[in-house]
Amino acid sequence: MDYLRAQATEFLRALRRHRESGPGTGTGTGTGTGTAAGANGTSGAPGRAPQPGDDVDAARALRRAARRISGTLHTFQPLLDAAWAEEMRPELAWLSGTLALEHAYASRLDRLLQALHRLSGSTAFPAPRPTGRTATTATTTATSVPPTAPPTHPASANRGNLTVGAAKAGALLDRQLTLARTRAHSTALQALGSSRFHAVADKVALLASEVPLSSAGRRAASAPVPASAAPGAAPVDLRPLATAARERLTDAVAALPLVTAGSPYNAEALVHGLSPDPAPHPQDTPWHQVRLLLRLHRYALEVLAGTDPRTDGTAGTDGTAGALDDSVDVRLLAAGEALDRHRDASEAAAAAAQAARTPRIAPATAYALGVLHADQRHEVEAARYAFQHSWRKEPIRLP
């Protein structure tokens, strides 16, 4: 599969850029990954000095390629060597999840501090930091500093204009999430310097040159391409597996309570707000599952459309439509954005609830955290409403 090879090459290119932009972080030592990357033409420009933001862009590309490889292995597993795919998928999921943690905590803190200022009617809103969860990944911000250096917060997080309860709530959230971010920072550095990571990178390097196929995949790949097929068509028909991914998404969406999501106020969303159980909100799980299935569906469309691996769009590199009707359906993009907001608000609400469980905090602080939790749960409902509104629209295709 050309798509897998392209994503593997992009992974190695991003790894090379990451090593060049962050020397001494532990990512430049390993078991031959650099040799494999160089052999596949992914080395950086000789003599080029690292530019500002190179590490951020490289780590973002690294995580993006890992997600796409893992998603493709999941969707098209019947055509791939089963043992190899089952071994690779959890390793790629581990890598992607580890790289996301630090930045997720930073983004969550930003979101909650912004909400505190908004709910307090403060005239001095903290300026958003450039840490949008979909803009960068956790690792790169951290890899240019020692593991023991805690992340710093700019002066924009000033809480001087907040009420006492809101200010103390912000300070408590800052302490807890900064500690979590620092730990995630160290975990990411250790992961990138570990033998486990380099083993994953070496396997991806092999994937860039040869995709391990199952017996069915080898038979399909060796079959002659019909004369009636379009020029450049792949010998393997990937549409049935991509269609199965779309059907799984459709079934999962059908099981969602879209009628409830269509209501401007869902009182059930606050039922478990005071529960001592720190487990995720029981209403959120199926929505998170739909988000993952939507991502798999989009990746399958990229495979069919031959999307440039360095972009996140759903159209082919030549601007043509993919094999499925909704391969360039911008409705999918709007639905994905809504589900991303749903995840962020859900996790922020959980962080506020966790902070409210801190022993011996002042009543005003607990009250502010409770209001903050309710606000984020309403943000969850707003994201669900936006999803069902965009999902039920007629498909809009790019020209």
Side-chain angles (χ1 to χ4, degrees):
M1 295 172 63
D2 293 338
Y3 182 83
L4 272 176
R5 285 193 291 267
Q7 292 296 336
T9 301
E10 187 64 19
F11 181 98
L12 297 173
R13 183 182 292 113
L15 177 58
R16 172 68 63 146
R17 288 168 53 199
H18 188 273
R19 292 173 57 194
E20 291 176 348
S21 61
T25 61
T27 62
T29 60
T31 59
T33 303
T35 302
N40 285 281
T42 58
S43 60
R48 175 182 175 273
Q51 301 297 317
D54 276 1
D55 54 347
V56 173
D57 293 338
R60 180 187 179 192
L62 188 69
R63 181 171 175 240
R64 182 175 58 205
R67 288 200 314 261
R68 280 165 167 74
I69 294 172
S70 178
T72 305
L73 296 183
H74 180 276
T75 301
F76 300 99
Q77 185 171 348
L79 299 176
L80 303 169
D81 180 84
W84 174 82
E86 285 297 326
E87 183 180 1
M88 278 290 289
R89 280 176 50 206
E91 294 302 290
L92 291 168
W94 160 78
L95 175 62
S96 178
T98 301
L99 298 185
L101 280 177
E102 179 188 358
H103 190 75
Y105 286 123
S107 179
R108 196 170 305 156
L109 177 59
D110 264 349
R111 182 185 186 91
L112 289 169
L113 292 181
Q114 290 282 337
L116 279 174
H117 277 263
R118 172 171 50 82
L119 294 169
S120 299
S122 172
T123 57
F125 281 76
R129 298 175 223 156
T131 54
R133 181 150 180 182
T134 58
T136 59
T137 44
T139 318
T140 53
T141 305
T143 52
S144 59
V145 295
T148 56
T152 58
H153 299 297
S156 62
N158 178 28
R159 292 176 291 275
N161 292 322
L162 296 178
T163 62
V164 174
K168 289 185 177 180
L172 178 59
L173 290 168
D174 200 335
R175 287 196 302 271
Q176 293 184 349
L177 292 176
T178 298
L179 176 60
R181 181 185 176 187
T182 303
R183 290 172 175 171
H185 167 85
S186 299
T187 300
L189 288 180
Q190 293 171 5
L192 289 176
S194 67
S195 58
R196 182 180 182 181
F197 168 75
H198 290 291
V200 173
D202 287 340
K203 291 177 181 178
V204 173
L206 296 176
L207 177 62
S209 58
E210 181 181 2
V211 178
L213 298 174
S214 64
S215 57
R218 287 192 296 270
R219 287 194 301 269
S222 60
V225 180
S228 59
V236 182
D237 188 3
L238 304 176
R239 287 174 297 179
L241 295 175
T243 301
R246 180 175 61 183
E247 291 174 349
R248 287 193 292 269
L249 170 63
T250 303
D251 292 343
V253 172
L256 291 176
L258 292 184
V259 174
T260 302
S263 172
Y265 182 78
N266 175 14
E268 294 180 6
L270 301 177
V271 168
H272 298 271
L274 298 178
S275 171
D277 186 3
H281 197 284
Q283 284 194 4
D284 295 344
T285 301
W287 292 88
H288 294 330
Q289 181 65 18
V290 167
R291 177 179 169 272
L292 295 177
L293 292 174
L294 178 61
R295 174 179 289 177
L296 292 176
H297 175 48
R298 286 189 58 200
Y299 294 165
L301 294 179
E302 290 182 6
V303 173
L304 297 181
T307 301
D308 186 335
R310 288 166 292 183
T311 67
D312 278 326
T314 56
T317 55
D318 58 355
T320 59
L324 292 183
D325 290 341
D326 56 353
S327 60
V328 289
D329 183 3
V330 295
R331 179 187 61 165
L332 295 180
L333 300 179
E337 290 175 356
L339 291 176
D340 285 344
R341 295 197 303 271
H342 176 275
R343 173 205 57 191
D344 293 344
S346 171
E347 293 176 350
Q354 183 63 31
R357 297 185 184 97
T358 303
R360 297 183 297 278
I361 59 175
T365 305
Y367 174 78
L369 291 169
V371 172
L372 187 59
H373 173 268
D375 173 75
Q376 292 303 301
R377 290 309 306 180
H378 286 306
E379 291 287 337
V380 167
E381 291 306 307
R384 292 178 182 178
Y385 178 80
F387 171 81
Q388 67 91 20
H389 185 67
S390 62
W391 185 260
R392 288 178 170 177
K393 282 184 176 179
E394 290 296 323
I396 303 174
R397 297 178 179 83
L398 299 176

